[in-house]
């Protein structure tokens, strides 16, 4: 599956453009602040209905405008075309259609066009707070299974209800206690489903992680993820039961603090490099290598679960990764996936050195929101004095 055409009518600083991409490797070069990440964001939106940069999609509307509008045409493995249109008007909100049919729920888009994005904010997955790691797992699992996304949505809704009841309990006394118990059954049911799915996913990722980390770093250290569910770890059958038991134990503390203290919304995932926690001991280069290995493992799992090769978005790949590691990363993905790689004009030479430009990729240059396709590497070399 790959993105064949992209039409941006209005999005951030991008000028209206209609592009056709290579099903293999696409490079986007340009100076800082020209619109490279904005284009990557457009592709991500078409696959996941959300941005990876902001929760407030009004930010995607060009300054002094009132809407954004993008369209993509994907080709599946049978070469059937699927057309996705996203239109967000400031007053009426977002509308998404797939093959001319409007989606009643945006979550229906998730998983149809699997995608993996490596962007500068992702360093938080290995180095930031636990919420960033939970977010990573939620996005991956949602693309693998609509069921997970449904469980997660239900769980988050009940969590909100529970927290508001707990807050009332702290202020207004215990008369709402029964109300809390009504929610607990569903809370533990959906929570247990989430924990089971996360546990399976960690096991699957771990099957690939050490090999990819070895391929990228070429050293003897291994990388794996240790899942630390907030509900004490038990067999799948006992999980919901154990979860209820822990809720009972924590009941008075929850009531005092007015917030839900047990459940997968407090899960942690540790990245371990040869058994040492990366978050505490890792160098910047190790974080980046671990992150790229994680994305490679993510691609392998997504492919095996959905039977579709995900599109890879590698924004600013060369930042903090040396040329050799970049070359390994590209070689990991280029055989099977459609890849979009962005770099500054300086990175152009680096990609030439590592042979990334020798395999006839599609090249685009971005300047002041305008995207130009270059016919081949020689033509592009003369572009704006790059040599
Ligand atoms: P870098 O190499 O620094 O990562 P980039 O080419 O990836 O740069 P983008 O993040 O794509 O740059 O941003 C390009 C420009 O888009 C920035 O100057 C930014 O201010 C501008 N921009 C962001 N949002 C909007 C918007 N809603 N309307 C107009 N311009 C915007
Ligand atoms: Mg950028």
């Amino acid at each position: 599956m790959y993105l064949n055409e992209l039409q941006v009518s209005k999005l951030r600083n991008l000028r209206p453009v209609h592009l056709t991409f290579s099903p293999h490797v696409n490079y986007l070069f340009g100076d800082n602040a020209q619109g490279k990440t904005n284009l990557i964001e457009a592709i991500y939106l078409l696959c996941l209905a959300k941005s990876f940069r902001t929760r407030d999609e009004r930010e995607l509307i060009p300054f002094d405008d009132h809407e954004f509008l993008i369209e993509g045409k994907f080709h599946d493995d049978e070469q059937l075309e699927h057309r996705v249109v996203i239109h967000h008007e400031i007053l009426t909100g977002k509308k998404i259609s797939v093959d001319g049919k409007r989606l009643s729920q945006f979550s229906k888009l998730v998983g149809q066009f699997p995608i993996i994005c490596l962007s500068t904010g992702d360093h938080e997955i290995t180095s930031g707070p636990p919420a960033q790691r939970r977010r990573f797992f939620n996005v991956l699992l949602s693309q693998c299974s609509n069921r997970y996304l449904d469980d997660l949505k239900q769980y988050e809704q009940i969590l909100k209800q529970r927290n508001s009841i707990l807050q009332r309990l702290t202020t207004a006394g215990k008369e709402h206690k029964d109300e809390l118990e009504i929610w607990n059954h569903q809370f533990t049911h959906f929570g247990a489903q989430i924990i089971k799915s996360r546990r399976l996913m960690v096991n699957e990722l771990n099957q690939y992680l050490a090999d990819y980390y070895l391929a990228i770093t070429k050293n003897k250290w291994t990388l794996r993820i240790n899942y630390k569910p907030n509900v004490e770890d038990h067999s799948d059958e006992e999980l919901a039961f154990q979860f209820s038991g822990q809720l009972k134990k924590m009941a008075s503390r929850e009531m005092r603090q007015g917030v839900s203290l047990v459940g997968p919304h407090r899960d942690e995932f540790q990245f371990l490099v040869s058994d040492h926690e990366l978050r505490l001991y890792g160098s910047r280069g190790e974080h980046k290598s671990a992150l790229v290995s994680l994305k490679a493992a993510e691609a392998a799992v997504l492919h095996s679960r959905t039977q579709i090769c995900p599109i890879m978005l590698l924004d600013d790949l060369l930042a903090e990764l040396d040329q050799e590691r970049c070359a390994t990363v590209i070689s990991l993905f280029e055989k099977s996936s459609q890849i979009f790689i962005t770099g500054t004009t300086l990175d152009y030479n680096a990609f030439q050195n590592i042979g990334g430009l020798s395999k006839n990729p599609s090249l685009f240059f971005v300047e002041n929101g305008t995207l130009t396709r270059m016919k081949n590497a020689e033509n592009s070399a003369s572009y704006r004095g790059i040599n």
Side-chain angles (χ1 to χ4, degrees):
M1 204 271 308
Y2 64 95
L3 179 66
N4 188 43
E5 286 175 55
L6 172 71
Q7 193 168 347
V8 179
S9 303
K10 297 173 177 189
L11 189 93
R12 292 198 189 262
N13 80 328
L14 297 177
R15 309 299 307 155
V17 72
H18 189 158
L19 300 164
T20 306
F21 295 117
S22 158
H24 307 294
V25 183
N26 298 275
Y27 284 100
L28 296 136
F29 291 107
D31 289 342
N32 292 135
Q34 300 304 307
K36 302 179 297 292
T37 304
N38 293 347
L39 192 96
I40 292 290
E41 191 177 24
I43 299 171
Y44 189 94
L45 267 165
L46 287 168
C47 297
L48 288 177
K50 277 186 186 170
S51 164
F52 58 87
R53 293 211 279 192
T54 176
R55 281 166 182 263
D56 184 355
E57 286 177 8
R58 284 170 305 185
E59 288 173 22
L60 284 100
I61 297 172
F63 302 148
D64 306 325
D65 209 318
H66 57 97
E67 61 186 349
F68 75 76
L69 175 62
I70 52 175
E71 176 178 335
K73 288 183 182 160
F74 295 87
H75 282 189
D76 66 19
D77 292 347
E78 275 94 50
Q79 290 303 312
L80 291 172
E81 188 176 271
H82 301 281
R83 180 167 164 257
V84 180
V85 181
I86 306 188
H87 181 206
H88 185 130
E89 212 277 332
I90 203 152
L91 292 176
T92 52
K94 185 165 67 177
K95 295 185 183 81
I96 301 180
S97 71
V98 178
D99 295 330
K101 284 197 207 95
R102 191 158 152 203
L103 296 184
S104 53
Q105 290 172 302
F106 301 143
S107 57
K108 295 259 185 312
L109 188 66
V110 178
Q112 288 196 48
F113 309 103
I115 191 153
I116 286 169
C117 178
L118 175 70
S119 69
T120 43
D122 282 340
H123 69 89
E124 294 253 301
I125 296 174
T126 58
S127 63
Q132 298 297 333
R133 288 179 278 290
R134 290 194 293 271
R135 187 175 168 271
F136 165 82
F137 277 91
N138 287 342
V139 174
L140 170 58
L141 278 157
S142 300
Q143 291 199 77
C144 290
S145 141
N146 279 337
R147 169 83 191 273
Y148 181 86
L149 188 50
D150 288 343
D151 289 345
L152 185 69
K153 280 202 296 195
Q154 300 265 19
Y155 179 82
E156 284 177 344
Q157 234 165 359
I158 299 166
L159 178 65
K160 249 194 210 161
Q161 296 280 358
R162 257 192 124 249
N163 285 345
S164 77
I165 297 169
L166 282 166
Q167 257 166 20
R168 269 185 280 143
L169 278 167
T170 46
T171 50
K174 299 202 168 160
E175 70 262 30
H176 300 284
K177 210 168 162 231
D178 295 346
E179 223 183 306
L180 192 66
E181 266 148 33
I182 296 169
W183 288 108
N184 281 355
H185 176 68
Q186 284 199 311
F187 189 60
T188 53
H189 166 76
F190 289 113
Q193 297 301 330
I194 291 169
I195 294 168
K196 286 180 211 169
S197 305
R198 287 179 178 174
R199 185 158 36 212
L200 271 178
M201 180 52 79
V202 168
N203 289 342
E204 269 179 70
L205 287 171
N206 278 338
Q207 287 171 22
Y208 299 98
L209 266 184
D211 286 349
Y212 286 137
Y213 193 68
L214 184 70
I216 290 162
T217 61
K218 302 200 169 47
N219 66 29
K220 60 187 185 316
W221 290 308
T222 57
L223 172 69
R224 70 182 175 89
I225 304 171
N226 181 30
Y227 180 33
K228 300 190 81 180
N230 178 260
V231 174
E232 274 167 33
D233 214 350
H234 285 280
S235 67
D236 282 359
E237 296 73 39
E238 286 179 40
L239 202 51
F241 180 70
Q242 292 294 342
F243 191 173
S244 303
Q246 269 177 256
L247 276 184
K248 281 197 190 99
K249 271 195 221 153
M250 294 295 263
S252 48
R253 249 179 84 184
E254 284 192 326
M255 279 183 240
R256 266 200 317 276
Q257 296 189 19
V259 68
S260 298
L261 294 172
V262 195
H265 62 288
R266 295 190 159 217
D267 277 355
E268 174 58 301
F269 303 84
Q270 290 175 315
F271 285 84
L272 301 173
V273 173
S274 293
D275 293 331
H276 297 293
E277 197 173 349
L278 182 66
R279 194 173 56 85
L280 304 178
Y281 302 106
S283 73
R284 268 160 50 128
E286 278 172 331
H287 276 279
K288 190 83 186 203
S289 298
L291 191 58
V292 176
S293 310
L294 178 67
K295 297 286 166 174
E298 187 186 6
V301 171
L302 203 45
H303 187 191
S304 99
R305 291 262 194 120
T306 61
Q307 302 301 309
I308 305 171
C309 241
I311 294 172
M312 306 293 305
L313 306 177
L314 306 172
D315 195 19
D316 261 335
L317 182 67
L318 268 178
E320 291 172 47
L321 261 196
D322 58 43
Q323 293 183 8
E324 198 185 339
R325 289 179 193 207
C326 269
T328 312
V329 172
I330 295 167
S331 69
L332 282 178
F333 300 129
E334 70 186 351
K335 282 172 231 111
S336 45
S337 286
Q338 183 184 33
I339 321 179
F340 293 86
I341 301 172
T342 71
T344 62
T345 34
L346 287 175
D347 293 333
Y348 181 90
N349 289 333
F351 281 113
Q352 213 154 24
N353 290 341
I354 61 179
L357 300 180
S358 62
K359 292 167 189 158
N360 208 18
S362 291
L363 293 177
F364 300 88
F365 281 84
V366 191
E367 189 174 34
N368 204 9
T370 301
L371 277 121
T372 321
R373 187 193 181 99
M374 307 311 291
K375 289 230 161 42
N376 56 41
E378 279 101 308
N379 280 354
S380 56
S382 60
Y383 179 79
R384 302 187 69 250
I386 300 164
N387 50 46

